[in-house]
Amino acid sequence: FFKFTVTATQQGWQPWLREIRIFGAETAGEGGCQAGYKSLDDGCYRFSLNQLSFEDSRKVCWEDGGHLAIVKNPTTHTSIVNYIKTTTNSSYWIGLQLKLFGARVPVNRRGMFFWEDGTLLTGWEGWHEGEPSSIVSGGREDCVEMANFMDYEWNDKPCNYNLSYICQVDMV
């Protein structure tokens, strides 16, 4: 199907093609997943090539009944990376974001990373060496990508960058 969005510009209202999904026989109902989703480990994932900001990516996933991918263990991470490497080789938003605390918090400890399901990032972490860099430097890299230029390890990045994204839904 096609999803259009209408945006106000200085020239008036402009329709923009927001997303195209093509469902084929190989993805319909695969592994207990809804059409358009790939079954990997214990979840269903859709790898969108549309490049959107973190927030817009999150909204698209919510509209689909899911959320940005939650990658809490090395097995899921490896499965996702292997799939990406055989298909697109793009960088992708995942559902991990720095939540800011009050102004009294020192710059070098200005927040903590939380998953889309509201859980704190604990246990296994897939950060590239030297990341997250923003939490130490006090920068504005509050969202997390699986970065193709870092062999799909995690990198904190400004949330307004447009990247591909991974949606996750429960198995049906």
Side-chain angles (χ1 to χ4, degrees):
F1 70 86
F2 296 94
K3 185 183 282 186
F4 285 92
T5 187
V6 178
T7 306
T9 67
Q10 290 180 341
Q11 292 79 29
W13 292 94
Q14 300 291 322
W16 299 99
L17 179 61
R18 180 171 176 179
E19 185 167 351
I20 299 175
R21 294 191 210 168
I22 302 170
F23 300 119
E26 73 277 2
T27 60
E30 176 187 319
C33 296
Q34 67 188 45
Y37 280 78
K38 174 84 177 156
S39 175
L40 297 172
D41 294 325
D42 58 353
C44 299
Y45 303 89
R46 181 169 56 84
F47 298 81
S48 178
L49 295 180
N50 297 319
Q51 296 193 341
L52 300 173
S53 69
F54 183 87
E55 192 59 38
D56 287 343
S57 298
R58 171 189 272 166
K59 287 177 187 174
V60 170
C61 292
W62 285 348
E63 289 170 0
D64 237 14
H67 48 76
L68 286 169
I70 297 173
V71 189
K72 290 185 177 180
N73 64 66
T75 304
T76 300
H77 184 264
T78 299
S79 295
I80 289 172
V81 169
N82 289 340
Y83 181 75
I84 291 170
K85 285 182 175 180
T86 62
T87 56
T88 67
N89 289 318
S90 294
S91 293
Y92 287 87
W93 287 126
I94 59 173
L96 187 60
Q97 185 175 24
L98 182 68
K99 300 294 184 181
L100 303 179
F101 297 132
R104 296 182 192 180
V105 176
V107 171
N108 66 346
R109 192 67 181 155
R110 58 187 197 90
M112 299 179 80
F113 284 91
F114 285 86
W115 289 105
E116 286 286 283
D117 63 2
T119 59
L120 179 65
L121 173 63
T122 58
W124 178 82
E125 298 178 6
W127 296 110
H128 184 71
E129 186 177 339
E131 300 297 335
S133 57
S134 182
I135 201 166
V136 174
S137 68
R140 291 282 179 225
E141 298 178 336
D142 296 342
C143 295
V144 179
E145 67 172 326
M146 289 178 65
N148 60 351
F149 60 95
M150 294 178 169
D151 200 30
Y152 297 98
E153 292 180 318
W154 302 348
N155 176 47
D156 55 342
K157 194 167 197 86
C159 300
N160 63 341
Y161 276 50
N162 290 331
L163 296 177
S164 299
Y165 55 94
I166 306 169
C167 291
Q168 180 180 355
V169 296
D170 294 330
M171 291 188 173
V172 289

